[in-house]
Structures are given as structure tokens and as C-alpha cells.
Amino acid sequence: MRKLAVVMIALLGLVFLVGCGDDESEDHAGKASSPTVMGGPAPAVAPGFREGAPQQDSPAPTDQTNRKEVITGSVDVTSGDPIAAAATVTEQVRAVDGRIDSRTEQPGTDERAARAVLSVRVPADKTDAFITGLGGVGTVTRVSTNRDDVTMQWQDLDARIRALQASVDRLKALITSATNTADLIAAEEALSSRQGELDSLTAQKRSLDDQVALSTLTITLTADDKNAPGDPDNFWDGIVSGWHSLIDWLQDAIVFVGKAVPWLGFLAVIGGLLYAALRLLRRRRRTGAHVPTAAVPTAPPATASEVNASGAPESAASGKETPGAHSAGDDQTEQP
């Protein structure tokens, strides 16, 4: 009986423990599924508000009204009369409150076509409309524009100008309240340096504002292909063109000869000097080759007394034996 009671108690304890574990797991699951609220109930959210609100990671919208841009470009236009077209473009620039910075015109001739080049400044907000209006002057063949963002540069100049202006104002106040000469001189030197830097930055900002306010466009006006000078179309035009080309060549040849004459004279002088130097060198070599050598002794000519009756010299005749002389000599040698 005791063993049975112990077994029953153990079974009841096991069942109790299993029941407590299930309750705790249910409590943990309920806590995990329900949101944790700190400091009170969660605030009510209006329907549709979360969907319409911007996300936290989305960038803030930029202010396009404060954007600073420098617009530059070029436009090529063909027209029947580029000079007259340039006058029309000038009127259009003045109509939009712009200005002409430079204007170059080249009238047409038989050898070259008419041409005009204008550098104009027009308000930045009217640039596109102005370029579109150039279609009434002629045929627009090319348009090129560039927008350079200078917002950061403009803001940097503006901030430095304001800081320097504040420093200049403080230095002026110090000069007013200076009590001794040393402080006054130091404040004036600092004020002069700051004022010069402030003026330089102000000029840079003024120039940048002008570039931002007015666009810079280069407009090139040229003649149409049908109005441009080209090759001759008939025989007579070919003769005239050839005659003009011959005249031009002769003129160029005459000019070339005129330019070459001084050079020819200079080269002639140089050649004459070189020729004289060579001749002098050759003369010196010849005089050096004919130096006089030692005299060889020669026999004196024979006199008249030494010449025999036959005309031969006595020295030559003495070499011959006379008859009788040899025999007389022999007879003398044979005597005892």
C-alpha cells in the first residue's frame, strides 16, 4: 500500500509540473505577440497618416530657386546675307535686355564667303527662347549649350564676405575706442588687410553674379552653299578664274624675287670672300713648293787654246795616241 501511495503521489506531481509548463509557455507566447508599451498605452494613429508621411531615410528636397548656374554655348546659323542677319541678331539681343560683347563681320568677295561672328550676353532665364528665335534669322545648323553649377562657389564667397564684413566692422569700432597710438596703428593695419581681402572677394562675387545672370553665346553666321564662291560653272568663267590665278601667281613671284634680292647680294659677298681666301691659300702652297736648292758645281767652259784644229777640246784630244809617240816610248823602254 505504501508503494502504491508513493507511485500515485509521484504521478500527481508529474502531472502538476506539466500543467505549469504549458501555462508559462502560453504566457510567453502572448507577451511576444503583443507589443510592449512603455509609459502608458500606445497613441492612436490616424488612418492613412503613416502612408503619406515621408520616410526617415529619404533625402530632404533641395531648393531649386537658390541654384546658381553659368550658361555658355554656341550657335551656328546659315543665311543668304550674313551681314544683314548679324544686324537682326543685334536687335534681338537688345530686345531681351542683353548686350553685345564683340562683333566681327567679313563681307563676301569672289574668293571667300561672307561671315559674321557675334559674342552676345542674354539673360539666363531667356536663353532658350532667344536661341529658338534665331530660327527666324536663318537656318540653325548647330546648337551647343553648357550649364555649370556654381552654387557651392557662390555660397562660399558669400559666407567669407559676411565674415570679413563683420571683422571689418569690429576693427572700425576698435579704432574708434583706441586709447593709445600702438593699439590704433595695429587696428588700422589689420583693418587695411581685411578691407583689401573683402574688396577682392566682393569683386569675385560680383563677376560670378554677372556670369550667372547673363548667359554667354557665340553666334556664327555664314553664307548658304548656293551663295558661297566655288568652282567656275562654264568655259568663260574658267578662263577668267585661270587668268586671275595667273596674275596672283605672278604677283607672288615678284614679291618673292624682291624678298630674295637682298639675300642674293649677301650670298654673293660671302662667296667672293671665300673665293679670295682659297686663291690666297693656293698661292702660298705654290711658293712653298718652289724653294731654291743647293747649286751643283759644273766644269768651266773650254777656252779657245784648248780646242784643237778639229774643233775638239785639248783634253779630249790628249786621250788619243799619236803615231810615233807610242813607238818612241816603246823604243825607250826596250833599251838596256
Side-chain angles (χ1 to χ4, degrees):
M1 292 294 292
R2 289 181 180 179
K3 293 181 178 180
L4 181 61
V6 171
V7 171
M8 292 297 294
I9 292 171
L11 291 174
L12 289 175
L14 181 61
V15 170
F16 179 76
L17 291 175
V18 171
C20 292
D22 293 340
D23 294 339
E24 291 178 358
S25 62
E26 291 178 357
D27 294 340
H28 285 295
K31 291 179 181 179
S33 60
S34 61
T36 303
V37 179
M38 300 297 294
V45 179
F49 177 76
R50 185 175 300 276
E51 288 77 5
Q55 297 181 0
Q56 187 175 0
D57 296 335
S58 61
T62 57
D63 189 3
Q64 296 295 333
T65 58
N66 295 328
R67 183 182 176 89
K68 306 295 182 181
E69 293 180 341
V70 176
I71 303 175
T72 57
S74 60
V75 183
D76 294 344
V77 182
T78 60
S79 175
D81 188 358
I83 307 302
T88 304
V89 172
T90 303
E91 294 177 358
Q92 292 181 356
V93 171
R94 293 173 180 173
V96 296
D97 297 332
R99 70 171 187 262
I100 305 293
D101 283 352
S102 66
R103 179 176 178 178
T104 304
E105 296 181 356
Q106 176 181 306
T109 62
D110 295 337
E111 298 179 357
R112 65 184 181 185
R115 189 169 182 266
V117 180
L118 291 85
S119 178
V120 303
R121 304 290 303 278
V122 296
D125 55 348
K126 300 178 182 179
T127 303
D128 296 335
F130 176 79
I131 294 175
T132 304
L134 292 176
V137 177
T139 303
V140 179
T141 58
R142 188 179 70 90
V143 176
S144 175
T145 57
N146 180 38
R147 295 177 179 268
D148 188 11
D149 188 2
V150 294
T151 305
M152 297 298 297
Q153 182 180 356
W154 189 91
Q155 291 177 353
D156 178 68
L157 286 174
D158 185 67
R160 293 171 64 184
I161 288 173
R162 285 184 295 176
L164 283 174
Q165 186 63 52
S167 178
V168 167
D169 295 340
R170 288 194 299 269
L171 288 173
K172 290 180 179 180
L174 288 175
I175 291 175
T176 304
S177 60
T179 57
N180 52 34
T181 306
D183 294 341
L184 180 61
I185 293 175
E188 287 180 349
E189 291 179 354
L191 177 61
S192 177
S193 175
R194 299 290 176 84
Q195 187 65 46
E197 187 176 359
L198 177 61
D199 294 339
S200 176
L201 293 178
T202 303
Q204 295 179 22
K205 186 173 180 292
R206 189 182 301 110
S207 176
L208 188 61
D209 288 337
D210 179 73
Q211 296 177 15
V212 171
L214 297 176
S215 303
T216 303
L217 298 177
T218 302
I219 303 173
T220 304
L221 302 166
T222 56
D224 297 334
D225 294 336
K226 60 181 180 180
N227 295 328
D231 297 332
D233 297 334
N234 51 49
F235 179 75
W236 177 252
D237 291 341
I239 293 177
V240 174
S241 178
W243 175 257
H244 289 311
S245 63
L246 177 61
I247 296 299
D248 294 339
W249 182 85
L250 290 176
Q251 291 177 354
D252 295 338
I254 292 172
V255 173
F256 176 77
V257 171
K259 291 181 178 180
V261 166
W263 287 97
L264 292 176
F266 175 74
L267 294 176
V269 173
I270 296 297
L273 293 176
L274 291 176
Y275 179 73
L278 290 175
R279 290 198 62 180
L280 181 61
L281 182 61
R282 288 179 180 178
R283 287 180 180 178
R284 289 183 178 179
R285 288 182 179 179
R286 289 177 180 176
T287 54
H290 293 284
V291 176
T293 57
V296 179
T298 58
T303 61
S305 60
E306 295 175 352
V307 181
N308 55 9
S310 60
E314 184 178 354
S315 60
S318 62
K320 296 183 180 180
E321 295 180 357
T322 57
H326 181 70
S327 60
D330 293 341
D331 294 339
Q332 291 177 1
T333 57
E334 288 179 358
Q335 293 179 0

